[in-house]
Amino acid sequence: MSQVNYTNQNGKLMSDQPKNTTPSSLSDVASKRAESKVAGTQPLGTGLEARGVHAWFDKHHALEDVSLDFSAGTVTALIGPSGCGKSTFIRTLNRMHEFIPHTSMAGQVLLDGKDIYESGIDVTKIRLQIGMVFQKPNPFPSMTIGENVLSGLKLAQLKVDNQEDLLEECLTRAGLWTEVKDRLGAHAGGLSGGQQQRLCIARALAVKPKVLLMDEPCSALDPGSTLRIEETISQLSKSMTIVIVTHNMQQAARVSDYTAFFLSDGGPGQMIEVGPTNEIFSRPRDERTENYVTGRFG
Amino acid sequence: MSIDAPVKVTPPARKITTKPRVSDQIFRAIVTTFSFSALLILSLIALFLLSKGFTTLKEQGFGFITNFEWSVFVDENGVEKATFGLQAMLLGTLVISIIALVIAVPLSVLTALFLTFYAPDRVKRILVTIIDLMAAFPSILYGLWGFFVLMPMAEYWAKLIHKWLGWIYIFDVPDPIYTRSPFIAGLVLSVMIIPIITSVSREVFSQTPLDRIQAAYALGATKWGMIRAVVLPFGAGGVVGGSMLGLGRAFGETVAVFSVLNIVFRTNFQILFTQGGNVASMIIQKWGEAGPSEVSALMAAGLVLFILTLLVNFLANYVVTKTVKSGR
Ligand SMILES: Nc1ncnc2c1ncn2[C@@H]1O[C@H](COP(=O)(O)OP(=O)(O)OP(=O)(O)O)[C@@H](O)[C@H]1O
Ligand SMILES: [Mg+2]
């Protein structure tokens, strides 16, 4: 597969992925992180960092003081009982939270050390770098499969010279290429739910985000499709930062390097504990985390 | 034949019946009656028009639609000779309705987009009220406004259009008379149908699935990009439907057109020139001094208008279902 280069309207080359920080192996990531970083203390300068994030719906305080770091090239799972603010949090990470009327937030979200909520910043550029996959597959039904994958480029007015290659690359990475390569011109509505979700992943990949946010991407899917998507996530994690919300502990254990546990004790949701996934599942520090992961509540 | 070969028996489909409660039956009867009475009234109107206009249709035959002469005169023996042809009026109706649509559809779609996606709540509420009010306005008021306020302005615009685009046939004029033209009638009509098209468009735009809107934004779309990629494909069917409703109103509009159009029985595609036609206003114009044979002709004209409107509505339905399927 050939290298795909992106240029924006000004013809400036956009880099594919963080160059210096892509780790070679996951244990490498873990140790690197362990020595360099305590959650939410100083800017790393790479990856995505949430600093003291609060979120409100009108007067309802939904999320309180969440600081979390997502180093480049890691997969972080967000777990916790329903209503604890996982979706709200993940939506603050690419400024989707503000689309709901009368909402507000506080704190900072740093992408490669720069606050994405800074005034004067171009939100569309932020969302281009921080992609999102939603719980319910949402392809554009009026477009064909191929057009869906490339829709992000069109929407962001990016130009690529070799669309065919990009199309194949994204669909392959999303694990969908072999299934649809003969019907790229068919309407996307004709795909199964699992295929649609992988199409949405391919669509998100086409704009080469540095970070991919996934809010329960498998909750509407059958076990087979779920497995495919988990494989996809493992593949993708080699080249990008992934944040995934899931209710499925098995899934969190299978795909993530780090796990963060969220909880709301009736008040606003809080991040209780974060750590390497195997530690969270084997010897969590907080009793509430233990209760949750062992299935005693939630 | 062996006896123990398993025989596969497919049972016949069962007939499933339920016995509804009495209260349900009564309600059902009421609802059915009312919905069928609408159909009944519609057919009765058609029948009435047909019976009254029958003589004309028989005498004029197909020429009633293709001729463009409308005259009755009595020769020296007292025999009435009449020619009734609707062609000029039918084409005139089409011309002014199309002018109205060309102006109203873009304006309505933009207004609907503004109201749905850009307007702050307060502005939105005020504007929606005003637009709904516009829809309920009596058409004579539009006629008066068109005559006294719009016409002087539009005359000036028409002159400008003629000056710059006069080399195109439809913007040329045989004589420099720009008042009471199809252009002005189309303008008035467009103002009258903007509320309908706007409110239908607004309705469908506001039903755009949120997850699709979010998908577009999450891909780095600007608002306008999102509207083009998601809202317009989704709402296209509704816009077409709304436009057809507007077209239906434009076809049938009487008083407003009557006040601003010079009705002449001659086919005219030069829209800036003071000569036009419209079936509905022609009926009004001729009504007062019509003799028995002409009344029959007017009734037949009414029937033609009725059928035309039905056709437009069927077409609207067809287009809407087709486009809606591909858009959703
Ligand atoms: N659109 C909204 N308007 C008002 N309140 C909301 C809205 N969305 C979420 N909330 C509130 O914010 C809190 C956090 O919700 P959120 O959707 O983030 O939970 P979650 O952890 O994603 O739950 P789930 O696992 O069920 O998806 C909840 O108390 C919820 O009631
Ligand atoms: Mg959620």
Side-chain angles (χ1 to χ4, degrees), chain A residues 15-285:
Chain A
S15 67
D16 274 358
Q17 28 182 276
K19 284 180 188 65
N20 48 352
T21 52
T22 311
S24 47
S25 79
L26 295 179
S27 60
D28 206 19
V29 176
S31 54
K32 192 168 158 194
R33 183 193 150 92
E35 67 202 30
S36 71
K37 198 136 172 73
V38 183
T41 45
Q42 81 236 20
L44 253 188
T46 65
L48 192 63
E49 300 157 272
R51 289 272 181 282
V53 169
H54 294 249
W56 291 266
F57 293 95
D58 240 333
K59 295 263 143 29
H60 174 60
H61 197 174
L63 200 63
E64 185 176 38
D65 195 21
V66 177
S67 294
L68 252 180
D69 302 322
F70 310 95
S71 338
T74 61
V75 180
T76 306
L78 309 182
I79 61 170
S82 186
C84 65
K86 306 179 297 291
S87 298
T88 307
F89 175 64
I90 205 171
R91 290 167 60 87
T92 59
L93 296 180
N94 68 340
R95 298 193 56 170
M96 293 295 285
H97 178 61
E98 65 210 49
F99 278 122
I100 301 165
H102 315 297
T103 55
S104 48
M105 68 84 67
Q108 288 184 313
V109 177
L110 309 174
L111 176 67
D112 293 343
K114 269 198 76 173
D115 186 5
I116 66 169
Y117 282 90
E118 206 167 276
S119 64
I121 217 152
D122 183 353
V123 197
T124 59
K125 291 227 173 68
I126 295 297
R127 299 206 187 94
L128 220 48
Q129 298 179 66
I130 309 178
M132 190 163 202
V133 174
F134 297 81
Q135 177 168 0
K136 216 178 110 214
N138 52 3
F140 300 125
S142 60
M143 300 182 191
T144 66
I145 295 173
E147 285 168 354
N148 258 285
V149 177
L150 300 174
S151 59
L153 299 176
K154 225 172 127 189
L155 284 170
Q157 293 163 324
L158 293 171
K159 293 203 170 53
V160 305
D161 331 312
N162 33 8
Q163 292 200 344
E164 311 280 291
D165 294 336
L166 178 69
L167 197 60
E168 180 171 350
E169 181 195 327
C170 296
L171 283 168
T172 308
R173 287 172 82 196
L176 191 62
W177 175 247
T178 46
E179 284 158 73
V180 301
K181 64 167 183 262
D182 297 324
R183 47 170 171 152
L184 294 173
H187 275 266
L191 297 174
S192 76
Q195 289 172 330
Q196 288 188 9
Q197 190 65 305
R198 277 177 281 151
L199 180 63
C200 292
I201 295 176
R203 179 178 68 185
L205 295 177
V207 292
K208 303 269 159 152
K210 294 177 177 170
V211 181
L212 192 59
L213 310 175
M214 307 172 109
D215 191 354
E216 302 187 43
C218 303
S219 64
L221 306 181
D222 66 293
S225 305
T226 302
L227 212 64
R228 305 287 300 267
I229 289 179
E230 286 178 11
E231 283 166 11
T232 304
I233 293 171
S234 305
Q235 285 294 315
L236 294 176
S237 66
K238 290 173 189 152
S239 58
M240 60 175 59
T241 313
I242 293 177
V243 183
I244 177 172
V245 173
T246 177
H247 278 284
N248 182 336
M249 306 291 171
Q250 306 293 324
Q251 185 169 68
R254 280 195 297 264
V255 301
S256 68
D257 309 318
Y258 297 96
T259 297
F261 174 61
F262 282 65
L263 186 64
S264 146
D265 52 359
Q270 288 170 315
M271 203 266 295
I272 303 296
E273 179 171 0
V274 60
T277 298
N278 56 0
E279 276 179 32
I280 293 288
F281 283 109
S282 56
R283 43 183 196 296
R285 276 163 284 150

Side-chain angles (χ1 to χ4, degrees), chain B residues 29-39:
Chain B
I30 294 173
V31 184
T32 315
T33 318
F34 275 100
S35 55
F36 273 95
S37 62
L39 195 67

